[in-house]
Amino acid sequence: MSLYEDYIKEIEERKNEGLNPKPIDGAELLSEIIEQIKDSDNAHRAESLKLFIYNTLPGTTAAAGVKAKFLKEIILGEATVAEITPIYAFELLSHMKGGPSIEVLLDLALGNDIEIAKQAAAVLKTQVFLYEADTDRLKEAYTSGNEIAKEILESYAKAEFFTKLPEAPEEIKVVTYIAAEGDISTDLLSPGNQAHSRSDRELHGKCMITPEAQAEIKELQAQHPDASVMLIAEKGTMGVGSSRMSGVNNVALWTGKQASPYIPFVNIAPIVGGTNGISPIFLTTVDVTGGIGIDLKNWKKQVDENGEVVRNENGDPILEEVYSVATGTVLTINTKTQKLYNCEEELIDISRSLTPQKMEFIKAGGSYAIVFGKKIQTFAAETLGVEAPVVFAPSKEISKDGQGLTAVEKIFNRNAVGSTPGKTLHAGSDVRVKVNIVGSQDTTGLMTSQELEAMAATVISPTVDGAYQSGCHTASVWDKKAQANIPKLMKFMNDFGLITARDPKGEYHSMTDVIHKVLNDITIDEWAIIIGGDSHTRMSKGVAFGADSGTVALALATGEASMPIPESVKVTFKGSMKEHMDFRDVVHATQSQMLKQFGGENVFQGRIIEVHIGTLLADQAFTFTDWTAEMKAKASICISQDETLIQSLEIAKSRIQIMIDKGMENKNNVLHGLIEKANKRIEEIRSGAKPALTPDDNAKYYAEVVIDLDIIEEPMIADPDVNNADVSKRYTHDTIRDLTYYGGDKKVDLGFVGSCMVHKDDLKIVSQMLKNVEKQNGEVKFNAPLVVAAPTYNIIDELKAEGDWDLLQKYSGFEFSDLLPKNNARTEYENIMYLERPGCNLCMGNQEKAEKGDTVMATSTRLFQGRVVEDRDGKKGESLLASTPVVVLSAILGRIPNIEEYKAAVEGINLTKFTPISTK
């Protein structure tokens, strides 16, 4: 059976599911299709033409190379296809975005046929995805006196690829659709349990919200054909949670417009809104697609005659509606006045959604074209020896005399690229920065690889210090979906230049360690900037930004990222921790105390949390920086002391060496280079030449929060509050309750110790608690299942060396096997302890889940609806988040313990402690 016959069979199968043919990315299949096009008598010729023209993926896919070559043959007259004239062939090349198409266009533009060369040049002037091999050819031809090359370079220097594009419309009509009340997580837009289908955009689009919601959106489009549907988070923030480009892709698929008639299921220009704005990561992704994200502010806190906030019986502010965005409301975005209107009524200023830079993204169909366009303009001007005209909006540079720098301002100033030399930049400045470390995770990695292909990138930027492709999100279950996707991903990323969790050659042991832990280890400089394909990319060294798969691809390809310098909130501590408290309780108390100090306003949202916990090693400090995703912060920075930082870097070196010993080093010797950089940084600190990063004494913060450790009397639990009468208050991570609230009798159906929030000491706490229970009761009996997943293999190796793993094995009823990995997700649990493979496990929710309707007590990060546990008829699933000792004791008792039981259980156990240091 031929590849085409196999493809036709797949097409029929997809048709039965209401799907179109899957876009073609393979060279062999497209080669067969081309042969059928050449044969005028072939029965499949008409369908083959449609597939060739409209259903082939562009960029650097293998299919794109075959397509570009055939189009070149048509242009040169070496092949004849009645339906594809040479002019049409040029049009098709113009939509292929780079890689093989650019190579073909350069061949033609620099060839001997002057008419063809002029036509090719006209197309090249519209293209921006050129890399060094392409620009070298242009430069060489220009130096040799080629007039066509000169003409192309002159066009690039003027940025005609941008200036000749149509302007963004002055008025954009939208019709509203309230997708949910309260915060909308990306799980609603792109569910984790459908992660396997993200690279198949049409199929994945079917999982957005619900089929009913999709039908309602289509109905609105039918009623308002001249308007875009704007998805809204009523009384909440749009796009909180995981950094999923697939979420924005799905919104664009249902509500946006097709990027090109020749590229299937790639849509752009989604429009989204939220009463409390758009999550920072999600907004970046909206920019990638040339969309618009609006902070609607359509509800406000009610105040009395004295200007005091009116509160309900629970102490929550009472909201009043400023204007309505009820589903079906027609509004107008005016890009000139930068206002939102309902007919003639002005509702709100939206200038922050329509900055000069964002207007460029809208005009260009996304931010990638602007990033690459600026590079190509600079190259052309330098090659011609001329000054490039100012075409793009100048980067905003804010410098305040006499004002010191926060930690993030220092990092951005050190890593800035292309800013005014000698100018010190403060928060609000638009900055291009060098990216040091990049991480790609496995459930978004296939999309990252697609983005890299689409922008015609073939190798990692040499300026990136290190990059890692994880395998943690698919670690729990090695099922057919994982087997189909992950090996292909690992090979692509390994070839591209990343260190990969799984060896495409199968030589080294698969390392399914949680991505954030690995990135924390390979970050060997607290001045570093890290970009990672997950919202928990929040290292305790450097400043790390969780990002969508497109931004990750851009960082890998260019070694850069662009963003405004964020404002910072300074967090310090006073007092001392009670003996029975764990540092996880301090993390939750930080959120609770901050909200109380600022009257319910989340001052962390969209800002940098600069946290002064310098006495904690990087592993323990990560528990705080990791949780800042749930605080809705843009990122966080841990201010460390010199000796603590040196210890953390020594640990990082040892773990990088383990990766080398396992055989994970690549041809670029990235891991050896990281160890050399760590040694250099340690020497700088020890010598006093460059002490650990600290902010200036006269730095300016948006707010300062002081956390009082003395008032933290009990373990603190983040509660999804699933039955709150106010729907917008559910699943927010803002409801933090002490242990006593539950009265010692709330049933717990499953406990989970795992995720990136735990470290080695948490696993030691588990073993110590179980040992104590056996000593007290004569046995260890679980009244609810306890699932334990170490975040890394390193931790297991260290626990084995220290004797704790033997204890865990003794009390467990199941232990993972690398030789016989599970090929089906667990659907039922016994009242035993499960020792699961290192990785995300229940926290991710794409493979393992608790039983529907369970009450779960977990150390993980997310409590969103349906993430760890789904609802069942008559019972909402709920995932409460707490410290390791609370989780373990809850599983043993089958309920949440009371404070006396808890204190007795942790007596004599080394919980994670923290002692504040004084700050000026």
Side-chain angles (χ1 to χ4, degrees), residues 454-701:
M455 62 179 70
T458 57
V459 65
I460 192 170
S461 168
T463 63
V464 174
D465 293 335
Y468 176 72
Q469 171 61 59
S470 82
C472 56
H473 288 63
T474 52
S476 299
V477 183
W478 193 237
D479 56 14
K480 289 182 179 179
K481 296 169 185 174
Q483 292 171 38
N485 290 331
I486 301 306
K488 180 170 64 172
L489 169 65
M490 294 295 166
K491 183 180 188 311
F492 179 95
M493 290 301 189
N494 199 278
D495 291 345
F496 198 82
L498 281 72
I499 303 297
T500 53
R502 293 180 183 272
D503 186 355
K505 298 176 183 176
E507 293 176 2
Y508 59 76
H509 183 278
S510 296
M511 190 174 87
T512 58
D513 296 4
V514 174
I515 179 174
H516 323 298
K517 294 295 189 182
V518 179
L519 294 182
N520 210 34
D521 286 338
I522 68 174
T523 300
I524 42 69
D525 186 349
E526 82 280 21
W527 289 81
I529 292 176
I530 305 100
I531 297 288
D534 192 293
S535 56
H536 291 101
T537 306
R538 291 166 186 265
M539 284 51 264
S540 51
K541 303 186 291 286
V543 61
F545 298 94
D548 61 275
S549 51
T551 302
V552 171
L554 198 62
L556 288 170
T558 68
E560 295 179 6
S562 299
M563 67 184 85
I565 302 178
E567 295 176 303
S568 293
V569 176
K570 184 178 182 179
V571 176
T572 56
F573 302 84
K574 67 178 182 179
S576 58
M577 288 180 65
K578 303 289 188 292
E579 196 60 32
H580 59 277
M581 303 307 295
D582 184 81
F583 183 64
R584 175 73 183 250
D585 301 311
V586 174
V587 173
H588 287 185
T590 299
Q591 192 156 351
S592 179
Q593 290 189 28
M594 175 275 294
L595 290 169
K596 288 177 182 175
Q597 289 176 32
F598 290 88
E601 179 193 353
N602 185 355
V603 298
F604 293 155
Q605 183 164 344
R607 300 183 177 92
I608 302 292
I609 299 177
E610 183 186 284
V611 58
H612 292 250
I613 45 176
T615 58
L616 282 177
L617 292 171
D619 279 3
Q620 289 87 355
F622 183 69
T623 301
F624 189 102
T625 57
D626 196 26
W627 184 261
T628 60
E630 278 57 61
M631 296 173 179
K632 299 181 184 175
K634 187 169 181 68
S636 58
I637 294 178
C638 175
I639 304 302
S640 188
Q641 293 179 304
D642 286 354
E643 279 308 311
T644 308
L645 180 57
I646 288 173
Q647 288 181 58
S648 294
L649 292 175
E650 291 288 0
I651 292 170
K653 280 171 51 186
S654 68
R655 290 178 177 166
I656 295 169
Q657 186 60 52
I658 289 171
M659 294 170 74
I660 294 172
D661 295 342
K662 284 183 176 180
M664 297 178 70
E665 182 62 287
N666 65 10
K667 61 184 180 183
N668 297 328
N669 282 323
V670 166
L671 296 175
H672 284 87
L674 291 172
I675 289 179
E676 289 177 12
K677 289 180 174 70
N679 284 330
K680 178 183 177 183
R681 184 70 192 106
I682 289 168
E683 179 55 34
E684 289 174 340
I685 299 168
R686 282 196 172 131
S687 68
K690 189 178 179 183
L693 170 67
T694 56
D696 291 332
D697 292 342
N698 59 339
K700 185 173 177 57
Y701 298 89

Side-chain angles (χ1 to χ4, degrees), residues 24-41:
I24 298 165
D25 61 1
E28 295 83 0
L29 173 58
L30 196 65
S31 295
E32 279 190 28
I33 286 171
I34 289 171
E35 289 307 310
Q36 291 174 174
I37 292 171
K38 290 178 178 178
D39 179 2
S40 58
D41 296 324

Side-chain angles (χ1 to χ4, degrees), residues 142-197:
Y142 167 70
T143 305
S144 302
N146 187 295
E147 286 298 315
I148 294 290
K150 179 183 178 184
E151 185 183 312
I152 294 168
L153 288 170
E154 287 173 342
S155 177
Y156 283 156
K158 297 173 187 174
E160 290 180 342
F161 50 79
F162 177 74
T163 60
K164 290 190 175 183
L165 291 173
E167 294 295 328
E170 182 174 338
E171 289 190 345
I172 301 171
K173 185 183 287 188
V174 298
V175 57
T176 60
Y177 180 76
I178 294 179
E181 190 171 326
D183 290 349
I184 290 181
S185 84
T186 49
D187 263 8
L188 184 71
L189 307 174
S190 169
N193 61 5
Q194 299 298 312
H196 61 277
S197 67

Side-chain angles (χ1 to χ4, degrees), residues 5-260:
E5 288 172 329
D6 288 341
Y7 186 53
I8 291 298
K9 183 179 177 182
E10 180 190 85
I11 288 173
E12 289 303 314
E13 292 170 353
R14 288 174 68 88
K15 189 182 294 183
N16 292 333
E17 298 175 30
L19 297 168
N20 289 285
K22 192 173 182 180
I24 298 165
D25 61 1
E28 295 83 0
L29 173 58
L30 196 65
S31 295
E32 279 190 28
I33 286 171
I34 289 171
E35 289 307 310
Q36 291 174 174
I37 292 171
K38 290 178 178 178
D39 179 2
S40 58
D41 296 324
N42 192 285
H44 301 292
R45 186 175 183 279
E47 182 64 21
S48 296
L49 263 169
K50 284 198 297 184
L51 293 171
F52 176 82
I53 294 170
Y54 298 107
N55 208 51
T56 303
L57 289 177
T60 56
T61 66
V66 173
K67 183 173 181 175
K69 181 183 176 183
F70 186 49
L71 292 173
K72 179 182 179 182
E73 291 172 2
I74 292 172
I75 290 167
L76 292 175
E78 297 169 1
T80 303
V81 177
E83 296 85 350
I84 304 177
T85 64
I87 292 174
Y88 191 31
F90 274 121
E91 181 181 340
L92 293 176
L93 283 168
S94 75
H95 286 259
M96 290 182 64
K97 297 183 71 173
S101 62
I102 296 295
E103 182 181 353
V104 164
L105 287 167
L106 283 170
D107 288 345
L108 298 172
L110 305 179
N112 296 323
D113 190 314
I114 192 65
E115 288 305 315
I116 289 177
K118 287 180 178 178
Q119 289 176 288
V123 175
L124 273 170
K125 291 174 187 177
T126 68
Q127 306 294 297
V128 294
F129 293 104
L130 277 70
Y131 288 85
E132 191 172 352
D134 307 314
T135 54
D136 282 351
R137 288 184 69 186
L138 271 176
K139 186 174 183 178
E140 183 180 345
Y142 167 70
T143 305
S144 302
N146 187 295
E147 286 298 315
I148 294 290
K150 179 183 178 184
E151 185 183 312
I152 294 168
L153 288 170
E154 287 173 342
S155 177
Y156 283 156
K158 297 173 187 174
E160 290 180 342
F161 50 79
F162 177 74
T163 60
K164 290 190 175 183
L165 291 173
E167 294 295 328
E170 182 174 338
E171 289 190 345
I172 301 171
K173 185 183 287 188
V174 298
V175 57
T176 60
Y177 180 76
I178 294 179
E181 190 171 326
D183 290 349
I184 290 181
S185 84
T186 49
D187 263 8
L188 184 71
L189 307 174
S190 169
N193 61 5
Q194 299 298 312
H196 61 277
S197 67
R198 287 177 183 161
S199 58
D200 186 343
R201 293 195 183 207
E202 186 191 16
L203 173 59
H204 193 67
K206 288 185 173 294
C207 71
M208 188 184 84
I209 314 179
T210 62
E212 292 77 16
Q214 295 164 17
E216 289 165 359
I217 289 168
K218 290 179 74 173
E219 179 61 27
L220 284 172
Q221 291 168 331
Q223 294 172 5
H224 304 276
D226 59 340
S228 295
V229 176
M230 176 166 68
L231 256 60
I232 291 173
E234 177 78 321
K235 297 184 185 176
T237 302
M238 173 63 79
V240 301
S242 299
S243 53
R244 292 185 185 158
M245 188 164 188
S246 52
V248 172
N249 284 347
N250 279 352
V251 176
L253 192 66
W254 284 99
T255 69
K257 59 185 180 183
Q258 192 173 1
S260 162

Side-chain angles (χ1 to χ4, degrees), residues 787-844:
V787 178
V788 177
T792 68
Y793 278 95
N794 285 338
I795 286 175
I796 292 177
D797 291 340
E798 291 166 18
L799 291 172
K800 286 178 178 177
E802 295 164 18
D804 290 275
W805 192 255
D806 289 340
L807 287 171
L808 292 173
Q809 287 176 313
K810 174 183 175 182
Y811 301 122
S812 70
F814 169 86
E815 184 178 358
F816 75 92
S817 168
D818 281 330
L819 296 177
L820 298 169
K822 289 183 295 184
N823 52 28
N824 288 298
R826 199 185 312 284
T827 56
E828 295 180 347
Y829 295 81
E830 301 174 51
N831 289 347
I832 60 173
M833 181 167 72
Y834 297 83
L835 293 181
E836 295 285 4
R837 191 181 199 182
C840 300
N841 200 268
L842 282 164
C843 186
M844 176 60 184

Side-chain angles (χ1 to χ4, degrees), residues 860-910:
S860 52
T861 57
R862 298 287 196 228
L863 47 68
F864 297 132
Q865 185 174 19
R867 175 80 172 221
V868 172
V869 56
E870 295 177 356
D871 299 339
R872 69 167 185 260
D873 290 341
K875 172 81 166 65
K876 288 184 179 294
E878 53 183 339
S879 178
L880 292 84
L881 308 180
S883 67
T884 293
V886 169
V887 173
V888 174
L889 190 54
S890 296
I892 291 171
L893 298 174
R895 58 176 172 81
I896 298 179
N898 61 42
I899 186 62
E900 290 76 19
E901 290 170 324
Y902 171 81
K903 286 182 177 179
V906 299
E907 188 173 354
I909 291 178
N910 296 320

